[in-house]
Amino acid sequence: MRRRSAGPVGAPRQVGPGAVERGRETPGSAHGDWLTLGRDGRLSLYVPTDGGLVRWTETAVGGPEWSGPHFVAVAGLTHLTVTQGADTYVHFLGRRERERADGALGVDIVHAIQYQTGLAFTEWRSLGNPHRDREQGRELGRPVGAVAADGTVHVFVPNAHGGLSLRRESPTGKWRAWEDLRGSGIDEPPATVALAAGRLEVCAAAASGIFVWRQTAPGGDFDGPQGFALRPTPGTVTALETGPDRATFFWTDADGGAAAWRAGDWPAALGGSPARQPYASLRTAVDGYDCVVLAHRDRDGSVVLGMGGTENEGGGFWWYGLGEPCQGVPALARDGRGRVVMALVGPDGAPKVARQEDGAGLTLARWQTLGH
C-alpha cells in the first residue's frame, strides 16, 4: 500500500488542565487498540473528548514519563475507534454527526492516520455513508477497523438494516465503494482480527447467535456470514490470533462469565465476572509460557484482569479483581521493553497506566495517573 502524505492538518496541540473531562461527547475510552506501541518503542494512548481526542506519549522507551495531553480536533465525533497495523501506523475511525446546509443531521464515517509516534495526524477524510437514504444513514453504528498484513485498511460498520457494511482500500491505496456483507440483527460493533498470513476474520453477535465472515484469501472477498447457534452477550466479543492463521473469539456468555471459541469447536468456559463491553486482549509470554491476557470492566465498574494458556482453556483461567474503577474498556499492550501495560480511563476522565513488575508471574505495579 502506498504511503500517504502526512501534512500539518490534524496536528496535535497542547491543552490545559481539565480539557479531557469538559463536555465529553464520547465518555470513557475509545474502542479498539487505544494503547499502541510505535516503531520507536514508545507507547501512546488516545482518549475521546469533546470536539476530538487527546493523546499522551511516552517520552522514552519504557517510560515512566509521558508527554501530553495533546488535543486533536474533529468536530461532531460521536464514536472513536483506534486500530493499528503491523507497520505500526495508527488508524483512527470515527462516526461523525454534522448539520447540513438544509438543517438536517448528516452522519458519515471519518478516517485519519498517525504515521509516527507523537507526530501529526493526516487530515480527517470522510468515507461517506453506505446508505443513500438520509434517515437510514442516521442509524449507522460505530465503525471498527482492521489493517491487513499488507497495510490495507478495512472499515466495518453495522448498518440500518441490521447487517454489516464494509469499505476498504484497494492495493493502490484508493478507497473502494461500500460493500454489503449482509447479516441480520447486528446492533453492536463486531470483533475483527487481522491474521499474520494476510486474511481477516470478523465475528458479530446477533439475536440469533453469532455471524462469522472469513476472507477467502489475502485481499479477497469475504465468505459468509456463517451463523452459529451460540449465545454471547452482544457488545462483548473480542478477537485474537492464537495460532497460525487461526483466531479465537472471546465473549461474555449469556449464562455469565467469559468464554473462548474457535471455529470447529465448542465454547470453553473461562469463568470470571461478566463483562458488558468488549474484552481487551493480548497474547504474550509469562514465565516462558504462551499466554492470553484479558481485561474488562465488571458490573461494579472496576477493572478485572484474567490470564491463561493460549488455546489451553482446559488448563484453567485465572481472574484478579484490581479494585481500580474505570470508564469504558481498558487497553492492553506491551511496552518497548516487553512488559505488559494496562491503561484505563478513571471516573474523572484521566487516564491511568500500570506496568508489569519484574519477577515471576504477571503482577502490575502501582497505577500512574497521566497529567491533564
Side-chain angles (χ1 to χ4, degrees):
M1 184 186 72
R2 295 186 301 180
R3 173 170 169 155
R4 305 160 194 77
S5 173
V9 179
R13 61 178 174 83
Q14 190 81 23
V15 294
V20 180
E21 330 50 290
R22 284 199 306 268
R24 183 178 311 180
E25 295 180 1
T26 312
S29 65
H31 188 86
D33 304 322
W34 57 273
L35 178 66
T36 64
L37 180 66
R39 188 184 299 274
D40 65 355
R42 291 186 295 152
L43 290 169
S44 297
L45 64 81
Y46 311 88
V47 178
T49 191
D50 182 28
L53 63 100
V54 284
R55 180 189 73 196
W56 286 260
T57 303
E58 286 183 319
T59 58
V61 175
E65 300 302 323
W66 296 71
S67 66
H70 300 282
F71 176 71
V72 180
V74 50
L77 194 69
T78 66
H79 299 82
L80 174 68
T81 295
V82 185
T83 190
Q84 186 176 30
D87 54 13
T88 73
Y89 299 163
V90 183
H91 296 264
F92 303 88
L93 298 168
R95 180 187 181 276
R96 181 173 64 178
E97 294 182 353
R98 293 185 297 175
E99 185 176 331
R100 298 185 182 275
D102 60 1
L105 184 68
V107 172
D108 66 345
I109 302 300
V110 292
H111 171 240
I113 311 169
Q114 179 186 278
Y115 289 113
Q116 290 181 273
T117 305
L119 297 187
F121 289 30
T122 64
E123 64 179 337
W124 291 85
R125 176 175 180 176
S126 176
L127 302 182
N129 190 310
H131 298 291
R132 293 186 178 181
D133 181 86
R134 189 170 296 174
E135 290 189 7
Q136 291 183 346
R138 286 195 286 266
E139 297 179 28
L140 202 64
R142 175 198 293 271
V144 296
V147 184
D150 65 355
T152 304
V153 183
H154 296 64
V155 180
F156 303 87
V157 59
N159 58 43
H161 306 304
L164 195 63
S165 295
L166 162 67
R167 193 164 189 196
R168 52 177 160 167
E169 291 180 310
S170 67
T172 64
K174 294 184 178 180
W175 288 92
R176 297 166 57 170
W178 283 100
E179 303 172 48
D180 184 3
L181 298 185
R182 305 186 308 279
S184 62
I186 300 169
D187 60 2
E188 296 285 351
T192 64
V193 58
L195 303 170
R199 295 189 312 105
L200 269 60
E201 294 192 6
V202 183
C203 178
S208 58
I210 66 167
F211 292 112
V212 176
W213 293 260
R214 295 188 177 93
Q215 206 169 23
T216 55
D221 293 329
F222 284 82
D223 276 347
Q226 185 176 4
F228 297 88
L230 303 174
R231 298 190 302 160
T233 300
T236 66
V237 184
T238 298
L240 184 67
E241 184 170 16
T242 56
D245 204 37
R246 184 169 60 250
T248 298
F249 298 98
F250 301 91
W251 58 63
T252 295
D253 190 80
D255 293 331
W261 176 76
R262 286 178 291 279
D265 206 346
W266 292 100
L270 304 181
S273 59
R276 294 183 176 179
Q277 294 174 300
Y279 293 84
S281 62
L282 179 69
R283 185 179 175 188
T284 191
V286 179
D287 297 339
Y289 293 96
D290 186 354
C291 292
V292 167
V293 182
L294 301 178
H296 72 92
R297 179 180 184 267
D298 67 15
R299 287 177 173 173
D300 295 330
S302 297
V303 67
V304 177
L305 181 69
M307 184 181 68
T310 301
E311 296 193 353
N312 185 29
E313 293 83 9
F317 211 87
W318 292 267
W319 295 95
Y320 310 90
L322 302 183
E324 190 71 27
C326 70
Q327 301 185 61
V329 182
L332 292 168
R334 284 186 299 270
D335 68 10
R337 297 179 182 174
R339 297 173 296 184
V340 174
V341 180
M342 180 186 291
L344 58 81
V345 177
D348 62 351
K352 297 182 177 182
V353 295
R355 291 177 205 269
Q356 180 180 7
E357 290 186 331
D358 295 334
L362 176 55
T363 303
L364 298 180
R366 292 180 59 184
W367 290 95
Q368 175 188 4
T369 301
L370 304 191
H372 279 38

